[in-house]
Amino acid sequence: MTTRTVDPAQELAAFLRTRRERLDPRDVGLPVRRQARRTPGLRREEVAELAGISIDYLVRLEQARPLRPSADVVEALARALRLAPDERTYLYDLTRQRPRTTAKPPTTAAPPLARLVTDLSPLPAMVLNHRYDILAWNPEMGRLLIDFDTLPPQQRNSMWLCLIHPETREYYVDRERVVREGIAYLRAAWAAYPEDQVLNELISRCITHNEQFARLWAQRDVKINGRGHKVIRHPDAGEIAVHFEVLMPLQDPDQRLMICRAADDDSRAAMDRLHTR
């Protein structure tokens, strides 16, 4: 399996099918029939009726025909399929109904953001782009995770480090959730930046080299987490629980500023020990 480029028609077809199949008729107010359904979820005719479109049109969408649904049809499908906000955005991206930037993704942090990362010490902070490439970091983030200076630039990617790198792939106590959330974010970025060859190659490498990534990628979860909680199994300081916040600067919307802080007193003490090393 490769992801050299996003095929909008194929991905739209698969996404519509998986979202339809996960719904229970009771979720949308349909009566439960005594006769068992041969396939999970809603039938095409039920989704078409809920969305107010023809069954034939929905069939052609799920067959990956080269159609261009209108914004009204996209919104109707999003409502019928009970899509979450991030999934709705993903659907709009796949159908090319959302304005998109033509600028090339950044490979270096904007200088004001790089300075801000330094000024945020002693809070661990770093700047990433939509691929999860790590563009800038302060010493505290390097001590919390890994000394990024020791890595070649192509490995300074938080998803790659979590999945593949031997020193960091077991850092997270709840690794399944962390990876699942990271993949759900990458899928949203993949739809928003369909021509980003570097992102496509990253996803292809992860699918090829990591069974967990391949399994979770196939589930087509879409979610963007701007804040959350992680527990790190640090080799020197033991378990450290952190809250993280991700901010998107208005001037540089393709860069994300991640800031971490200790989630409890024990974790704060552990981070203090790391900072004084």
Side-chain angles (χ1 to χ4, degrees), residues 15 23 85 89 95 116-117 123 131 147 153 200 211 216 273:
F15 187 67
L23 285 175
T89 299
T95 54
L116 178 57
V117 164
L123 291 177
R131 305 175 190 134
D147 185 355
N200 288 317
E211 180 277 333
L216 294 175
R273 290 194 298 273

Side-chain angles (χ1 to χ4, degrees), residues 9-10 12-14 16-17 44 53-69:
Q10 292 287 347
L12 176 62
L16 291 176
R17 286 195 302 270
R44 288 192 182 102
I53 62 176
S54 71
I55 298 174
D56 178 65
Y57 190 74
L58 181 58
V59 168
R60 285 186 289 155
L61 285 175
E62 290 197 3
Q63 290 176 340
R65 302 287 183 87
L67 304 175
R68 179 72 181 273

Side-chain angles (χ1 to χ4, degrees), residues 68-124:
R68 179 72 181 273
S70 68
D72 288 341
V73 169
V74 173
E75 182 60 27
L77 285 169
R79 286 197 305 267
L81 294 170
R82 303 297 194 267
L83 298 186
D86 293 334
E87 295 174 322
R88 183 185 298 265
T89 299
Y90 185 65
L91 183 63
Y92 270 83
D93 282 331
L94 287 175
T95 54
R96 305 298 183 259
Q97 290 293 351
R98 189 169 71 151
R100 61 188 63 248
T101 178
T102 58
K104 291 185 177 180
T107 56
T108 58
L113 287 179
R115 290 193 294 271
L116 178 57
V117 164
T118 300
D119 292 342
L120 282 168
S121 295
L123 291 177

Side-chain angles (χ1 to χ4, degrees), residues 135-160:
L135 308 182
W137 59 92
N138 59 17
E140 289 79 7
M141 184 63 82
R143 295 189 189 105
L144 181 64
L145 296 180
I146 190 171
D147 185 355
F148 300 112
D149 282 318
T150 64
L151 301 174
Q154 64 271 21
Q155 290 186 13
R156 293 174 191 162
N157 178 277
S158 60
M159 177 58 70
W160 180 260

Side-chain angles (χ1 to χ4, degrees), residues 7 10 37 54 115 120 127 150 174 176 186-187 222-223 226 237 257 276:
D7 184 328
Q10 292 287 347
R37 292 174 176 247
S54 71
R115 290 193 294 271
L120 282 168
V127 176
T150 64
D174 191 359
E176 174 82 7
L186 274 186
R187 179 167 283 281
V222 183
K223 187 174 178 60
L257 174 64
T276 57

